């Protein structure tokens, strides 16, 4: 199968688990996505990237496969994570409420729609609750039918941003009442969401929060599609952005070109990291503060599809190791 034909059915999952300090454990979870129950390699599945953050004690594992294979691959990784991570002893700066904290499915190919991914996400959440007793989930995006509430809204509703410790009061959409060991998992589907983190050279968290408020989509003059928090990070402050793909073309969002993607015949675009960085720099320069750096967690939607096409067509399941060699 050609790369272009392969790419038309691809789906990405940026699996967020609440562990980063035990890197062997994280890699064990990643390998479970590309290994079947017999211990043999799963064809047609690749792990493109593993992003670890020790301060946050959180990792993001980028799993890509066609829509017929993605559910079992991600379920295997979730089951493995649940067996190895105990939320009752978890420590980390980043908000989280689940051993497997987030399972988002993103369509990458033209032949996969948001409704398709939403149905897969619902089935994934139900199967996880059946296979791992005590797990539970809240649904968001196209898995949250018919409301299609966004991730930020659902997180706000259950108290995720406040790192609520008493999860027993949360009413899940799927599964049993949340337990302290597993917590609760967000499962859903949406257009691709990038993670773009801008680190500013200060320990002034109040300044970071004012910057986050200014660029947040919901604020006047905010950047469309940007959901953001300011968090202390490695002796500085990180402006941690979820960059959602928004409906429409780049021409409707100012002068700078916004990358476009097509999903189910509809055009979506996302704010480029350069724009977010420039906006943050503009806001902090009056305070005598500079930017230390900008990091993408994973890839842009186009990069994700291109790399996955190459990895799967060449049978590379552990692509994160190839990527590591390139950047070392």
């Amino acid at each position: 199968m050609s790369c272009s034909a392969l790419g038309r059915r691809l789906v990405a999952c940026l699996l967020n688990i609440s562990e980063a300090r035990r890197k062997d454990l994280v890699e064990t979870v990643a390998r479970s996505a590309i290994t079947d129950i017999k211990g043999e390699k799963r064809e047609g599945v690749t792990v493109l990237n593993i992003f670890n953050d020790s301060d946050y004690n959180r990792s993001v594992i980028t799993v890509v496969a066609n829509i017929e294979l993605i559910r079992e691959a991600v379920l295997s990784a979730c089951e493995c994570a649940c067996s190895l991570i105990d939320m009752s002893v978890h420590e980390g700066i980043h908000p989280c409420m689940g051993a497997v904290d987030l399972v988002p499915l993103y369509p990458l190919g033209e032949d996969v729609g948001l409704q398709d991914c939403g149905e897969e996400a619902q089935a994934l959440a139900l199967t996880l609750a059946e296979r791992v007793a005590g797990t539970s989930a809240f649904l968001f995006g196209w898995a949250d039918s018919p409301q299609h509430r966004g991730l930020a809204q659902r997180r706000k509703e259950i108290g995720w941003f406040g790192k609520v410790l008493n999860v027993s009061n949360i009413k899940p959409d799927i599964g049993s009442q949340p337990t302290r060991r597993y917590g609760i998992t967000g499962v859903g589907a949406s257009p691709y969401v990038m993670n773009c983190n801008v680190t500013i050279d200060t320990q002034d968290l109040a300044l970071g929060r004012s910057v986050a408020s200014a660029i947040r989509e919901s604020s006047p003059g905010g950047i469309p599609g940007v959901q953001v928090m300011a968090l202390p990070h490695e002796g500085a402050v990180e402006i941690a952005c979820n960059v959602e793909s928004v409906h429409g073309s780049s021409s409707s969002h100012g002068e700078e070109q916004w990358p476009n993607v097509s999903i189910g015949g509809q055009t979506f675009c996302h704010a480029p990291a350069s724009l977010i960085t420039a906006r943050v720099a503009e806001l902090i320069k009056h305070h005598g503060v500079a930017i230390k750096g900008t990091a993408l967690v994973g890839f842009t939607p186009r990069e994700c599809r291109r790399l996955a096409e190459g990895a799967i067509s060449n049978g590379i399941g552990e692509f994160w190791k190839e990527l590591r060699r390139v950047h070392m």
Side-chain angles (χ1 to χ4, degrees):
M1 183 184 294
S2 70
C3 282
S4 59
L6 172 69
R8 298 184 71 89
R9 301 284 296 164
L10 289 180
V11 173
C13 176
L14 272 63
L15 180 67
N16 287 234
I17 64 171
S18 296
E19 179 57 64
R21 297 167 187 169
R22 295 176 289 172
K23 290 185 171 56
D24 288 348
L25 182 156
V26 177
E27 291 205 359
T28 297
V29 174
R31 287 193 188 94
S32 67
I34 55 174
T35 309
D36 65 20
I37 56 174
K38 297 178 182 177
E40 298 176 355
K41 177 183 173 184
R42 261 196 186 96
E43 297 298 330
V45 183
T46 187
V47 173
L48 290 183
N49 191 51
I50 301 174
F51 178 87
N52 309 105
D53 193 296
S54 184
D55 270 15
Y56 291 170
N57 203 11
R58 185 180 186 86
S59 296
V60 181
I61 302 169
T62 304
V63 185
V64 184
N66 72 39
I67 193 164
E68 289 78 19
L69 300 176
I70 193 71
R71 189 197 312 173
E72 277 303 319
V74 173
L75 273 168
S76 293
C78 290
E79 289 179 76
C80 181
C82 287
S83 72
L84 298 173
I85 300 169
D86 184 349
M87 283 302 292
S88 68
V89 295
H90 179 271
E91 294 180 349
I93 294 169
H94 199 287
C96 61
M97 293 185 78
V100 178
D101 198 54
L102 183 65
V103 185
L105 298 185
Y106 306 134
L108 295 178
E110 300 89 339
D111 293 346
V112 181
L114 289 164
Q115 187 65 36
D116 300 323
C117 286
E119 291 169 0
E120 283 298 312
Q122 286 180 348
L124 191 157
L126 284 165
T127 307
L128 181 61
E130 291 168 359
R131 292 186 186 178
V132 183
T135 58
S136 55
F138 68 89
L139 302 176
F140 66 90
W142 268 254
D144 176 42
S145 182
Q147 299 100 317
H148 295 173
R149 288 169 291 180
L151 176 60
Q153 180 182 345
R154 295 306 330 271
R155 280 175 163 173
K156 195 176 298 183
E157 288 169 355
I158 67 168
W160 183 90
F161 292 102
K163 287 199 77 170
V164 173
L165 297 178
N166 187 10
V167 293
S168 63
N169 291 330
I170 298 170
K171 184 179 179 182
D173 295 323
I174 287 173
S176 59
Q177 203 63 33
T179 63
R180 288 195 67 199
R181 175 181 171 84
Y182 300 124
I184 187 167
T185 301
V187 183
S190 73
Y192 198 95
V193 177
M194 290 193 313
N195 301 112
C196 174
N197 298 333
V198 183
T199 303
I200 59 176
D201 195 8
T202 181
Q203 294 184 12
D204 186 348
L205 189 57
L207 173 60
R209 286 172 174 160
S210 72
V211 170
S213 177
I215 67 171
R216 188 174 291 123
E217 177 184 44
S218 58
S219 298
I223 304 172
V226 172
Q227 311 294 337
V228 56
M229 298 181 293
L231 299 167
H233 189 259
E234 297 180 351
V237 172
E238 188 161 85
I239 311 301
C241 304
N242 276 2
V243 186
E244 300 175 350
S245 298
V246 295
H247 195 266
S249 64
S250 61
S251 60
S252 60
H253 298 288
E255 294 180 4
E256 184 168 1
Q257 189 75 13
W258 288 32
N260 291 343
V261 292
S262 177
I263 303 172
Q266 298 184 72
T267 300
F268 292 81
C269 63
H270 62 83
S274 58
L275 172 65
I276 296 168
T277 304
R279 189 72 64 85
V280 171
E282 179 69 22
L283 289 164
I284 64 175
K285 72 177 183 180
H286 306 296
H287 299 270
V289 175
I291 285 176
K292 291 186 71 173
T294 299
L296 281 182
V297 180
F299 315 97
T300 66
R302 288 181 179 177
E303 287 172 334
C304 190
R305 173 171 169 169
R306 176 179 60 82
L307 292 172
E309 286 175 346
I312 293 172
S313 62
N314 288 293
I316 305 172
E318 296 181 345
F319 186 82
W320 82 86
K321 292 185 176 179
E322 305 290 323
L323 194 67
R324 190 180 297 160
R325 279 194 282 270
V326 169
H327 289 290
M328 286 178 68

